[in-house]
Amino acid sequence: MNSMIQGQLFTILNQTAREGGHYAGVETIKSRLLPWLGTCFSSTTSGRPFETSLSLIQESIEKERQLREFASTRNHELQQLEKELNSTRLQLTLVQQDLKASQAQEESTLRNLDRLNDYEQQVQILKDEIAILGAQKSVLHSRLARSRSPSPRPCRSRSPSPLPLRSCSPGRARLTNAARHAHLVARFSEIYTQERLDAQNLLRTYIDDLEIVQRIIYVAAVESFHAAKMAFRQFKMRVRKTLSLTYSGPESLEDTVLDYIVRHEDLYDVQASVNEVIRAMNINPKISFPPEVDFIMISSLIRELCRVAFSMQTLVPPLDIAFGADGELFNESKYRRSYDSDFTAPLVVYHVWPALMENDSIIVKGEAVSKRGALWSRRSRSKSRSRSRSMSPILSHSASPSRTLLPRSRSPSPIRSGSPRPALNTSNTSDCLEPCAFT
């Protein structure tokens, strides 16, 4: 320390001597350097600067040690954190692998469930087929027993009623009635949500008025059911006439006829019904359309409706659409209001889709539009429009009333639809009453 101080002193003296003036810096040495030297030497003799320097060195050494310890501690903690991070990453990888395995297992389970549902459906179909085959087998056994009997006619005449045989061997129509009922109701709803909207979008490309488009589709649905019911009655009459000549089975003739129709629904001439519906729509005074619009463009919708309506007539009891008329009181249990309806209006302006009925019960709601004050204005406009026509469709066919009223007759009234035997009502009088009341 002394040598360091001496070296600094000599350096200071040399610098002062060089920067001094005439007296080589004597005044500077006297005024500045000597007092400082005196203080420095006095403190040097007491030993305090050495002690102070030693304490500073010790403090610096202690701080360096603390810094080294702190750094080593931080390094150790950092290593621990890295180990934990690696462990967490490993756990995350395992969890992701477990999730992927769970997803794969879930997908496999869903596929198995789908297969199980398919198997259950196939088993149910096989059970139905087995029941049908069992019924046919019992019928064949009964016929074989009658053929082997020495006097089958007296035995049959002594039998009070053929009901036990029919209860033991039901036909295919009754065995599959519930399944066909559910399928046809679901198909009717699918036509409302799919084919109807497709036909509506197609007509909107030619007709801007949504009301006219919805009226056209509703009339197509009503006429399709009417044409299909008429075709079913004619088909049933032909089958009954053919089977009645040679039939001698244990079941009733009506059940046999119905079984035959269920098995041979492909014989139904649906194109003839489609043509009948289009012809009836062309002479319907309730719908108007541009001359470039032809109802053949919605023939796919009409064809599906005719098929469903024809199949619904084979059910026990048959299904039918509800009768609807403009201006009727809105029924919440029968119709849903359309989105643009006035929900406080009590009357129906026009119908969008018919309701589906079984006897007197509504099983699928229809859709209708209700607005206040719109019904009477539309009626006045329709009257003025009908007076401005050169020839009314009704008057043009007045010479042949049967041909006019037959295609324009609507779905049967609630009284007729609730009749227990609608297929036997084939008189032209009841058919003529409905179009007149509807018009």
Side-chain angles (χ1 to χ4, degrees):
M1 292 294 293
N2 291 330
S3 63
M4 291 175 60
I5 292 173
Q6 289 176 0
Q8 292 177 1
L9 286 176
F10 284 115
T11 302
I12 293 171
L13 289 174
N14 291 330
Q15 185 70 24
T16 304
R18 284 195 302 268
E19 292 178 357
H22 180 69
Y23 296 100
V26 176
E27 295 296 332
T28 304
I29 293 173
K30 290 181 179 180
S31 60
R32 296 184 180 180
L33 183 58
L34 289 179
W36 181 80
L37 288 175
T39 306
C40 182
F41 282 113
S42 62
S43 61
T44 303
T45 56
S46 62
R48 290 181 181 177
F50 179 77
E51 294 176 358
T52 303
S53 300
L54 183 60
S55 62
L56 291 174
I57 292 171
Q58 291 177 353
E59 289 178 0
S60 62
I61 293 172
E62 183 67 23
K63 288 181 179 181
E64 289 179 358
R65 185 183 63 79
Q66 291 177 357
L67 286 174
R68 286 194 299 270
E69 291 178 355
F70 182 76
S72 62
T73 304
R74 291 300 181 184
N75 290 331
H76 180 70
E77 292 178 355
L78 183 60
Q79 291 176 359
Q80 292 294 331
L81 289 175
E82 289 180 354
K83 291 181 181 179
E84 293 178 359
L85 181 59
N86 293 330
S87 176
T88 305
R89 288 176 179 174
L90 181 60
Q91 292 177 0
L92 181 60
T93 304
L94 295 176
V95 170
Q96 290 177 351
Q97 293 177 356
D98 293 339
L99 287 177
K100 291 180 180 179
S102 301
Q103 291 178 356
Q105 185 177 3
E106 183 179 0
E107 293 176 356
S108 177
T109 304
L110 292 177
R111 288 194 298 268
N112 293 332
L113 287 177
D114 294 337
R115 293 175 183 173
L116 181 61
N117 293 331
D118 295 338
Y119 292 155
E120 290 178 353
Q121 293 178 359
Q122 293 177 4
V123 168
Q124 186 63 35
I125 293 173
L126 291 176
K127 287 182 180 179
D128 295 339
E129 295 293 335
I130 290 172
I132 294 170
L133 292 175
Q136 294 177 355
K137 181 180 178 181
S138 62
V139 171
L140 293 176
H141 280 301
S142 62
R143 290 180 181 177
L144 183 61
R146 286 198 306 271
S147 64
R148 293 178 179 177
S149 177
S151 57
R153 294 183 181 274
C155 293
R156 186 174 56 191
S157 63
R158 287 196 302 268
S159 178
S161 174
L163 288 177
L165 290 176
R166 274 184 284 168
S167 62
C168 294
S169 58
R172 177 183 178 88
R174 295 185 180 275
L175 287 174
T176 61
N177 188 75
R180 291 186 296 111
H181 182 280
H183 171 72
L184 291 173
V185 171
R187 182 64 185 130
F188 182 79
S189 301
E190 288 178 359
I191 293 176
Y192 168 75
T193 57
Q194 295 180 6
E195 282 84 351
R196 180 188 69 89
L197 293 179
D198 294 339
Q200 178 174 307
N201 294 331
L202 182 61
L203 290 174
R204 286 299 299 273
T205 59
Y206 298 93
I207 304 173
D208 295 333
D209 193 350
L210 179 61
E211 176 182 345
I212 296 177
V213 171
Q214 291 177 341
R215 282 180 179 271
I216 290 173
I217 294 176
Y218 177 76
V219 171
V222 173
E223 295 293 348
S224 298
F225 266 81
H226 175 73
K229 287 187 295 183
M230 295 299 297
F232 177 79
R233 292 172 186 173
Q234 296 174 2
F235 189 79
K236 187 176 182 180
M237 290 174 62
R238 292 196 302 269
V239 173
R240 185 189 295 113
K241 182 178 179 180
T242 303
L243 294 180
S244 62
L245 299 176
T246 58
Y247 179 73
S248 61
E251 298 88 2
S252 65
L253 180 60
E254 291 296 325
D255 290 343
T256 305
V257 170
L258 195 60
D259 290 343
Y260 181 87
I261 297 175
V262 169
R263 288 189 178 95
H264 301 87
E265 286 190 23
D266 55 338
L267 298 178
Y268 166 48
D269 188 3
V270 65
Q271 186 60 41
S273 297
V274 172
N275 297 335
E276 185 70 18
V277 171
I278 294 176
R279 190 185 72 83
M281 293 177 66
N282 286 326
I283 63 174
N284 193 302
K286 295 180 68 65
I287 52 178
S288 59
F289 49 92
E292 65 270 11
V293 176
D294 194 344
F295 293 128
I296 296 177
M297 67 175 57
I298 60 172
S299 60
S300 60
L301 171 66
I302 298 174
R303 182 176 291 103
E304 293 300 320
L305 285 170
C306 289
R307 287 176 178 171
V308 170
F310 185 88
S311 299
M312 285 181 176
Q313 306 311 306
T314 63
L315 298 175
V316 182
L319 301 181
D320 197 2
I321 56 175
F323 176 80
D326 294 348
E328 67 174 335
L329 187 64
F330 185 84
N331 190 351
E332 294 287 347
S333 62
K334 189 176 180 181
Y335 296 107
R336 295 187 300 270
R337 297 181 191 265
S338 61
Y339 70 94
D340 55 346
S341 297
D342 185 355
F343 286 81
T344 61
L347 301 180
V348 174
V349 179
Y350 66 93
H351 298 79
V352 177
W353 192 252
L356 191 63
M357 296 183 64
E358 182 178 359
N359 291 333
D360 294 332
S361 302
I362 302 293
I363 58 177
V364 177
K365 285 186 178 182
E367 184 177 349
V369 178
S370 60
K371 292 182 181 179
R372 291 184 177 273
L375 182 64
W376 314 114
S377 61
R378 284 183 173 82
R379 284 186 175 179
S380 62
R381 288 199 300 269
S382 63
K383 288 181 180 178
S384 62
R385 184 170 59 251
S386 63
R387 287 195 299 268
S388 64
R389 290 178 179 176
S390 60
M391 182 177 63
S392 173
I394 301 177
L395 295 177
S396 63
H397 294 269
S398 60
S400 57
S402 61
R403 292 179 59 191
T404 302
L405 294 176
L406 182 60
R408 290 183 57 238
S409 60
R410 300 300 184 268
S411 60
S413 62
I415 299 176
R416 288 180 58 200
S417 63
S419 176
R421 298 179 63 187
L424 299 179
N425 189 4
T426 58
S427 62
N428 291 331
T429 306
S430 61
D431 290 336
C432 295
L433 289 176
E434 290 178 7
C436 300
F438 187 82
T439 305

